[in-house]
């Protein structure tokens, strides 16, 4: 779980660093009252990849916490966590490079990791 949070921070910094290069540090540090230029392709993709992580991250965190509290920590939970994390790491460059289909497949693998944790939790009762 902790490494997944590190990934979230890395994705925030990746996007914000590229966006600052596009808008300039003065704009980023200011009130941003004026309109910003549209983001570049890679910056926009990294933003979408970050938002995609943030859609499933609360579910993943809740599942891991519930598995811990519910005493469902075991091989299935461990592998589910690693599968989720590794797939989410692989997902970032695939999205940034604009690689279709494989990116979606990798997203499904991360979802499978989440489902593994949920299955371990639910089968424990």
């Amino acid at each position: 779980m902790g490494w997944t949070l590190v990934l979230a921070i890395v994705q925030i910094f990746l996007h914000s660093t590229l966006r600052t290069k596009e808008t300039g540090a003065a704009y980023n540090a200011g009130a941003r009252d004026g309109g910003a230029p549209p983001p570049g392709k890679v910056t926009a993709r990294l933003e979408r990849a970050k938002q995609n992580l943030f859609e499933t991250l609360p579910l993943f965190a809740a599942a891991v916490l519930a598995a811990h509290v519910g005493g469902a920590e075991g091989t299935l939970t461990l592998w589910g966590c690693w599968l989720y994390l590794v797939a989410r790491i692989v997902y970032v460059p695939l999205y940034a490079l604009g690689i279709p289909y494989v990116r979606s497949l990798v997203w499904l693998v991360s979802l499978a990791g989440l489902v593994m944790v949920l299955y371990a939790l639910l089968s424990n009762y």
Side-chain angles (χ1 to χ4, degrees):
M1 178 63 201
W3 287 113
T4 306
L5 298 177
V6 170
L7 174 62
I9 292 169
V10 167
Q11 285 194 243
I12 290 169
F13 279 114
L14 279 173
H15 170 258
S16 64
T17 300
L18 285 180
R19 190 64 179 142
T20 299
K21 286 182 180 181
E22 293 171 352
T23 61
Y27 176 82
N28 196 30
R32 302 178 195 173
D33 291 331
K41 282 185 180 181
V42 174
T43 304
R45 289 174 184 162
L46 287 173
E47 169 68 16
R48 292 190 299 272
K50 179 183 72 172
Q51 290 305 322
N52 185 277
L53 173 66
F54 290 167
E55 288 174 2
T56 61
L57 186 57
L59 300 173
F60 176 72
V64 171
L65 180 60
H68 174 70
V69 171
E73 295 172 321
T75 305
L76 191 60
T77 304
L78 177 67
W79 281 103
C81 289
W82 278 111
L83 193 60
Y84 179 85
L85 173 62
V86 170
R88 293 308 315 197
I89 290 169
V90 171
Y91 184 84
V92 175
L94 290 175
Y95 208 133
L97 295 170
I99 299 173
Y101 304 112
V102 175
R103 182 192 85 220
S104 298
L105 180 62
V106 169
W107 181 85
L108 286 172
V109 170
S110 75
L111 189 61
L114 174 57
V115 168
M116 288 169 68
V117 175
L118 289 172
Y119 182 79
L121 172 64
L122 296 175
S123 65
N124 197 39
Y125 291 103

